[in-house]
């Protein structure tokens, strides 16, 4: 170390160092804009700049494989995912004045203190340490591949399991929430109807029609003789009110004895179907959704994530 | 190259991300700031790996391997994080971190905190009601 | 079965009956009455069998040591001599009668099952005391009796009188029991055993170093239990309990336990002349004072309670002159006729709807409504007044004869002074006893209104009003006694009448001294009793006219209810109606004229309660106030401060719990930064130095 320190003065930068410094300044600036801008989408775009700058820094440090991975995964997928997230949460396109919370000044103070401490310590410790980049590149695909598959096979495989678990977890989390979604506003009531209806006419009506179809299905299963599968459900106007009834939590469980009403409704299908649907939509719907609604929402979520 | 350059850059990036985590209101912006912090760590790992490979004849390249792992884990994290943010947004109607305060300690002298279901979400109920009337119409 | 087995069964059966009664009381109400009566009855029969087998001969002794208990062994021991056998028969008889009577008296009482079980338990404990040959086992029965008395006095716990009376009874008897316990320990330490036979043997050998101290300590417990001056004040108040309880516990048996205890350990007492003098003084004061107080009471049961205290005074007097045969003889006779008096009083209270003599004296026709009670009570009152053919005469003459013997004989360990004290007080009390018995009899059964109603005039209207009330009461079926209650009265009337005939054979069961009445005391005692009765009658004739002029009295209960409910309401109503629990402002009362200025003091039991209140109750209450003040203001402020400080801290910490994750994170990272900086700075300082 001391040899290197003597041969390379701290204030005698080489070309690589100058490049590193400039790119680093750009990266830092982009990062600062990312955390301060009031336009949320711009923040994501500035994040691309910062992450790309980091990729360049990796290249300058001869870690080319990591640089390309950085570009692929971060710039390619993570930022896209973040943009989707912004979209799905209806983030405003224009400047939003309340992008920063009241905690800003505390956060600033903490961040500055941490920066001061870290920079002081790092500079104090590695003031004289020098990296000799003139030798063989340390991060070529070959070198990285060899080290990965020689020394890190087991963690690598474990990581793949972890990725799988994360994938499944993300699906599960968003699928559960997807079941509760009623409309584009995301204003979910406590137990909304499922989004499993085959006759979805639009975003605003998805839940309603789903409830209606679920009701029709449940009626079909309870009285198969008089109401066969595929019988057209009640008119959408009546199903509206059914859906609202269905939104009241546990209504179906409170009147479980209405099953006899269901049988009656089956014999007089003209308007008795409404009764049947009202009486049993909650329990029947649950089973139906569990049985039938597996593919549709998970597909949706995968689409959102990719 | 002096090791101090990447190290200092990494420290500054980390603190920038830290500021973002602490100061940003939107949960997705917070996630972005977390990404910045993770990348700062990655830069550190790579720089030290290169230095150690030269100086200590390290052929295991643990720094780079760890960087790869970090990147993979970060991808998983962003996926799950976004799923959670979306779930929260659907349930609460907001993704603002400082409005999700159900765990706040209410000022009851007997120590029983309120349910606080709508304290962090003052307009969620209103929106629910509006949505319901819209559906009825 | 051997006599020992029989004797063990005697206390055991009522205990088992009590247990079964408590367990089954709620679930099987049909079994409660048989479970109450049958074990007690069987125990009584077995007690008779035991007595027949023992036959007044050598004492039956049986010992079993359950477990080693250290230096002084405690053993389950039976010691059945003539005293124990006969007292057990009395307990069995009275307990059976009372249980039978209670089936009628508390017929409609919802708490009858627990009541009957506690009476059974009490009977068992009393029989244990009677048969036990070990003082520790005796103490167990002694204390069980105390707690049963507490429960039974408080049977009408809805009324404040009963609550106060039960507490008072418990506390006052415990006040005596503490020195009693110490005395027992001292006795066992000096003689090396709790066994009565060994103790008596040691005393006979002169092995007692401090007889006076031990005797006085034991005397305190006896005074508490047997209601002797100065610890007698609980007994008149204990009349707030149901009448059968008063008959069994507070007249016939439990209060006699103290007398019986001294009779068993009499050699310990006769070893100390001072103790005998104290005993004699105690007996004399008790006798005379209680007789005076009895003359002034208005509540019929309080009259009987004071009379009980006086008769117990006779017994302790007999013990003070060293004649335990006379004491136990009087105990047996008194147990029978006093139980009868109480049970008859219960019938009368039920029929009259009041417990006030003043009210009864204005109630015509009571005699004809309860003829059984009238005749049996007359017999019992004659026995109480100690007129010749009745049992009380013989037993009381035995006491007086023994006192005369001790006063004139100057023999043995008994000091002559004790004999004189007992003799004079006994004769004086005989006069008073006859007086208050006559007063009770006249006021209860001989209303002048009955005669006044037959003559025209303004008085007849008042009489007619009373008559109408009584008629109405009868029309409602009120006052009809269950047959079993009257039957019991007649059963008990037999020993009251005829037990005196046993005077010839009874000494064989005891120490062998003749208990036949002597001429001098007989003539003196009977003469004084006749004088007392006649003077009271004359006074009554003189004052009874006033009863017609001053209407007084409140028939508190006039509904068709069980006897126990009637009595509870009568007790509760007495104080609001007459202004005092013990007295009534009745100018027609012959006792008022007889006692003159003493009447006011006699009513309140010579203000002993007030003295106790000033000496003990108020200081204790003051001390309690001080303690309460210290606790509330001093101690509690520390406690409160200990609570307030953490609450303030908690409030401060609670403010930090904003629910905002970013705030938490800020604090976390700030802390980390500070720590890191501290480490770096410290490392620099250390490196520099």
């Amino acid at each position: 170390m001391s040899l290197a320190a003597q041969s390379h003065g701290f204030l005698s930068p080489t070309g690589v160092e100058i490049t590193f410094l400039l790119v680093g300044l750009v990266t830092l600036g982009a990062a600062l804009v990312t955390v301060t801008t009031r336009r949320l989408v711009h923040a994501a775009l500035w994040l691309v700049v910062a992450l790309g700058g980091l990729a360049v820094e990796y290249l300058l440090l001869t870690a080319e494989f990591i640089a390309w991975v950085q570009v692929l995964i971060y710039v390619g997928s993570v930022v896209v995912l973040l943009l989707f997230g912004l979209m799905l949460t209806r983030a405003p396109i224009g400047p939003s004045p309340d992008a920063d919370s009241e905690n800003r000044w505390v956060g600033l103070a903490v961040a500055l203190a941490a920066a001061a401490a870290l920079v002081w310590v790092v500079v104090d410790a590695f003031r004289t340490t020098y990296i000799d980049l003139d030798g063989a590149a340390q991060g070529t695909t070959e070198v990285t591949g060899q080290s990965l598959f020689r020394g890190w096979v087991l963690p690598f495989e474990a990581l793949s399991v972890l990725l799988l678990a994360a994938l499944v977890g993300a699906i599960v989390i968003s699928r559960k929430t997807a079941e509760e979604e009623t409309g584009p506003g995301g204003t979910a009531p406590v137990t909304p109807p499922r989004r499993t209806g085959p006759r979805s006419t639009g975003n605003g009506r998805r839940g309603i029609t789903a409830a209606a179809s679920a009701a029709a299905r449940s009626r079909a299963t309870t009285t198969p003789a008089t109401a066969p599968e595929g019988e057209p459900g009640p008119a959408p106007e009546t199903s509206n009110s059914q859906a609202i009834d269905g939104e009241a939590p546990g209504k179906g469980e409170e009147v479980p004895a209405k099953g006899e009403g269901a049988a009656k409704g089956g014999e007089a299908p003209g308007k008795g179907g409404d009764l049947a649907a009202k009486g049993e939509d909650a329990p029947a719907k649950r089973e139906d959704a569990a049985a039938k609604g597996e593919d549709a929402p998970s597909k949706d979520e995968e689409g959102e994530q990719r | 190259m002096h090791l101090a350059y990447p190290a200092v850059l990494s420290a500054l990036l980390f603190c920038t991300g830290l500021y973002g985590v602490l100061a940003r209101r939107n949960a997705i912006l917070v996630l972005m700031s977390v990404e910045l912090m993770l990348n700062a760590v990655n830069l550190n790992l790579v720089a030290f790996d290169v230095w150690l490979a030269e100086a200590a004849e390290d052929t295991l390249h643990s720094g780079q391997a760890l960087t790869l792992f970090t990147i993979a884990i970060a991808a998983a994290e962003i996926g799950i994080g976004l799923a959670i943010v979306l779930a929260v947004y659907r349930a609460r109607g907001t993704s603002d971190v400082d409005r999700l305060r159900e765990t706040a300690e209410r000022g009851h002298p007997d120590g029983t905190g309120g349910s606080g279901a709508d304290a962090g979400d003052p307009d969620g109920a209103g929106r629910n009601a509006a949505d319901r009337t819209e559906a009825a119409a | 079965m051997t006599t020992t087995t029989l004797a063990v069964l005697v206390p055991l059966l009522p205990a088992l009956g009590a247990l079964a009664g408590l367990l089954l009381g709620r679930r099987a109400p049909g079994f409660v009455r048989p479970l109450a009566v049958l074990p007690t009855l069987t125990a009584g029969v077995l007690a008779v069998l035991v007595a027949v087998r023992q036959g007044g001969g050598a004492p039956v002794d049986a010992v079993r040591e359950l477990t080693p208990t250290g230096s002084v062994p405690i053993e389950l021991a039976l010691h059945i001599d003539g005293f124990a056998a006969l007292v057990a028969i009395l307990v069995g008889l009275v307990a059976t009668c009372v249980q039978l009577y209670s089936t009628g008296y508390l017929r409609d009482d919802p708490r009858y099952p627990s009541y009957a079980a506690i009476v059974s338990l009490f009977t068992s404990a009393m029989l244990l005391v009677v048969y036990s040959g070990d003082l520790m086992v005796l103490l167990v029965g002694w204390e069980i009796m105390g707690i049963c008395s507490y429960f039974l006095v408080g049977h009408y716990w809805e009324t404040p009188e009963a609550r106060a009376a039960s507490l008072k009874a418990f506390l006052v008897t415990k006040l005596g029991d503490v020195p009693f316990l110490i005395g027992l320990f001292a006795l066992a330490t000096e003689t090396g055993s709790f066994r009565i036979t060994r103790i008596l043997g040691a005393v006979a050998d002169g092995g007692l170093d401090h007889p006076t101290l031990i005797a006085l300590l034991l005397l305190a417990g006896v005074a508490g239990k047997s209601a002797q001056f100065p610890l007698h004040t609980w007994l008149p108040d204990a009349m707030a309990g149901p009448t059968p309880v008063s008959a069994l516990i507070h007249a016939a048996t439990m209060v006699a336990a103290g007398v019986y205890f001294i009779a068993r350990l009499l050699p310990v007492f006769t070893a100390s002349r001072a103790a005998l003098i104290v005993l004699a003084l105690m007996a004399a004061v008790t006798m005379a004072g209680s007789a005076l107080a009895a003359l002034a009471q208005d509540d019929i049961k309080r009259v009987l309670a004071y009379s009980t205290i006086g008769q117990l005074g006779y017994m302790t007097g007999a013990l003070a002159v060293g004649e335990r045969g006379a004491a136990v003889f009087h105990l047996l006779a008194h147990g029978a006729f006093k139980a009868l008096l109480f049970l008859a009083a219960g019938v009368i209270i039920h029929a009259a709807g009041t417990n006030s003599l003043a009210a009864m004296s204005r109630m015509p026709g009571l005699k004809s409504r309860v003829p059984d009670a009238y005749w049996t009570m007359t017999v019992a009152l004659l026995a109480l007044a100690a007129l010749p053919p009745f049992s009380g005469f013989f037993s009381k003459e035995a006491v007086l004869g023994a006192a005369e013997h001790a006063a004139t004989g100057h023999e043995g360990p008994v000091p002559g002074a004790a004999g004189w004290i007992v003799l004079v007080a006994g004769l004086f009390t005989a006069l008073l006893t006859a007086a208050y018995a006559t007063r009770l009899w006249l006021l209860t059964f001989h209303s002048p209104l009955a005669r006044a109603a037959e003559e025209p005039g303004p008085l007849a209207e008042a009489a007619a009003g009373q008559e109408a009330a009584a008629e109405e009461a009868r029309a409602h079926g009120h006052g009809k006694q269950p047959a079993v209650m009257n039957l019991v009265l007649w059963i008990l009337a037999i020993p009251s009448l005829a037990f005196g005939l046993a005077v010839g054979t009874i000494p064989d069961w005891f120490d062998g001294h003749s208990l036949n009445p002597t001429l001098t005391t007989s003539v003196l005692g009977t003469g004084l009793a006749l004088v007392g009765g006649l003077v009271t009658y004359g006074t009554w004739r003189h004052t009874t006219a006033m009863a017609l002029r001053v209407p007084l009295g409140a028939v508190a209960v006039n509904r068709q209810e069980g006897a126990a409910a009637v009595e509870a309401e009568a007790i509760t109503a007495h104080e609001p109606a007459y202004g005092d629990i013990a007295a009534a402002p009745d100018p027609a009362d012959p006792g008022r004229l007889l006692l003159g200025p003493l009447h006011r003091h006699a009513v309140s039991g010579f203000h002993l309660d007030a003295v106790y209140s000033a000496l003990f109750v108020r200081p204790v209450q003051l001390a309690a106030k001080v303690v309460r003040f210290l606790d509330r203001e001093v101690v509690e402020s520390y406690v409160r401060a200990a609570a307030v400080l953490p609450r303030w801290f908690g409030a401060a910490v609670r403010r930090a719990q904003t629910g905002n994750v970013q705030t938490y994170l800020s604090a976390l990272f700030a802390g980390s930064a500070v720590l890191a900086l501290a480490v770096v700075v410290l490392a620099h300082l250390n490196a520099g130095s």
Side-chain angles (χ1 to χ4, degrees), chain A:
Chain A
M1 298 310 131
S2 57
L3 262 172
Q6 280 160 11
S7 55
H8 308 282
F10 188 62
L11 287 176
S12 60
T14 59
V16 179
E17 283 180 325
I18 289 171
T19 319
F20 190 95
L21 211 58
L22 289 177
V23 176
L25 280 177
V26 169
T27 306
L28 187 61
L32 283 173
V33 175
T34 303
V35 297
T36 51
T37 179
R38 298 191 184 285
R39 297 166 184 264
L40 304 185
V41 181
H42 286 203
L45 297 179
W46 280 109
L47 183 66
V48 172
V49 176
L51 297 179
L54 269 174
V56 175
E57 304 283 44
Y58 291 149
L59 274 182
L60 289 176
L61 284 168
T62 72
E64 55 185 71
F65 181 73
I66 297 209
W68 298 129
V69 168
Q70 168 90 356
V71 169
L72 278 174
I73 292 186
Y74 268 112
V75 183
S77 84
V78 167
V79 172
V80 173
L81 209 55
L82 286 170
L83 280 171
F84 265 105
L86 283 177
M87 259 169 55
L88 285 175
T89 58
R90 311 191 112 199
I93 302 293
S96 49
D98 59 345
D100 289 347
S101 65
E102 296 89 19
N103 203 34
R104 179 184 338 167
W105 300 112
V106 180
L108 186 62
V110 170
L112 284 180
L118 279 176
V119 169
W120 177 26
V121 172
V122 164
V123 167
D124 194 42
F126 304 111
R127 190 168 38 204
T128 55
T129 313
Y130 194 80
I131 310 174
D132 194 6
L133 295 174
D134 297 336
Q138 296 298 331
T140 59
T141 311
E142 184 189 357
V143 173
T144 311
Q146 274 178 354
S147 74
L148 260 188
F149 291 106
R150 274 185 188 154
W152 299 91
V153 178
L154 204 62
F156 187 82
E157 296 298 335
L159 194 68
S160 60
V161 175
L162 178 104
L163 276 177
L164 183 67
L167 184 72
V168 174
I171 290 172
V172 165
I173 291 175
S174 34
R175 192 180 71 107
K176 249 189 188 169
T177 53
E179 283 175 0
E180 292 167 4
E181 193 192 6
T182 53
T187 59
V190 189
T191 56
R194 272 99 179 145
R195 197 171 40 150
T196 56
R199 295 179 287 117
S200 304
T201 55
N203 243 354
R205 281 208 160 159
R206 268 161 109 193
I208 295 158
T209 52
S213 64
R217 257 201 312 279
S218 70
R219 185 158 51 89
T221 51
T222 48
T223 60
T226 53
E229 197 89 50
E231 186 201 18
E237 286 76 24
T238 59
S239 67
N240 266 354
S241 61
Q242 279 170 17
I244 290 159
D245 283 336
E247 279 177 10
K251 169 140 195 195
E253 287 130 8
E254 274 176 19
V255 282
K258 281 249 179 115
E260 61 211 35
K264 206 168 50 182
E267 286 157 19
K271 68 175 179 97
D274 300 358
L275 273 175
K278 261 190 212 171
E280 351 185 306
D281 52 357
K285 220 166 49 190
R286 227 149 269 222
E287 291 154 23
D288 274 304
K292 298 197 70 173
E294 270 177 16
D295 45 358
S298 57
K299 233 182 267 172
D300 277 358
E301 285 317 301
E302 275 168 14
E304 278 165 11
Q305 299 215 344
R306 292 299 120 141

Side-chain angles (χ1 to χ4, degrees), chain C residues 281-363:
Chain C
L281 276 174
M282 195 173 88
V285 172
T286 308
M287 276 189 258
S290 68
L292 286 172
L295 201 50
Q297 301 297 311
D298 181 55
D299 181 344
I300 182 169
K301 281 174 70 185
R302 285 178 83 91
V303 175
L304 295 177
Y306 273 113
S307 136
T308 306
I309 297 174
Q311 302 303 310
L312 290 166
Y314 271 114
M315 298 173 211
T316 44
L319 294 168
V321 296
E323 182 48 71
R324 54 180 175 175
V328 177
F329 186 31
H330 194 50
L331 190 161
L332 296 171
H334 168 259
F337 70 70
K338 188 52 63 68
L340 172 56
L341 276 175
F342 267 108
L343 296 181
V347 171
I348 291 165
I349 290 173
H350 180 206
T354 177
N355 59 357
S356 161
L357 286 175
M360 287 180 197
S361 70
R362 288 161 174 77
M363 192 173 287

